[in-house]
């Protein structure tokens, strides 16, 4: 799923998915703030659910990085 903590306690994370030959990927990552849920339906499509207290930088192939804030569901296509 390409998720990596970039600050102590998972306060900040980087999400850089690399699906390779996979058509999709899905997973939950436990953190001290709750589960981060990542669902990828393609190389540049999917959804990220972040608990409160986490900020993520989403980096998709061929697109500029996007900052995502916690306590929300973020869909991208």
């Amino acid at each position: 799923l390409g998720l990596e903590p970039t600050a102590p306690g998972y306060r900040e994370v980087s999400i850089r998915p690399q699906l390779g030959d996979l058509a999709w990927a899905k997973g939950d990552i436990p953190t001290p703030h709750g589960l981060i849920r990542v669902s990828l339906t393609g190389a540049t499509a999917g959804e990220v659910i972040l608990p409160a207290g986490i900020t993520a930088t989403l980096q998709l192939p061929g697109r500029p990085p996007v900052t995502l804030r916690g306590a929300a569901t973020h869909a991208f296509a």
Side-chain angles (χ1 to χ4, degrees):
L1 296 174
L3 190 134
E4 180 179 345
T6 55
Y10 280 82
R11 286 188 318 249
E12 296 177 9
V13 298
S14 171
I15 304 171
R16 300 177 85 172
Q18 299 293 322
L19 288 180
D21 291 336
L22 297 175
W24 62 274
K26 184 177 183 179
D28 297 338
I29 299 89
T31 77
H33 303 278
L35 289 177
I36 297 174
R37 297 176 184 261
V38 179
S39 176
L40 304 168
T41 56
T44 59
E47 179 179 271
V48 175
I49 302 172
L50 295 173
I54 295 180
T55 299
T57 301
L58 177 64
Q59 298 177 334
L60 298 172
R63 295 188 181 178
V66 176
T67 299
L68 310 175
R69 305 281 179 210
T73 299
H74 305 274
F76 48 94

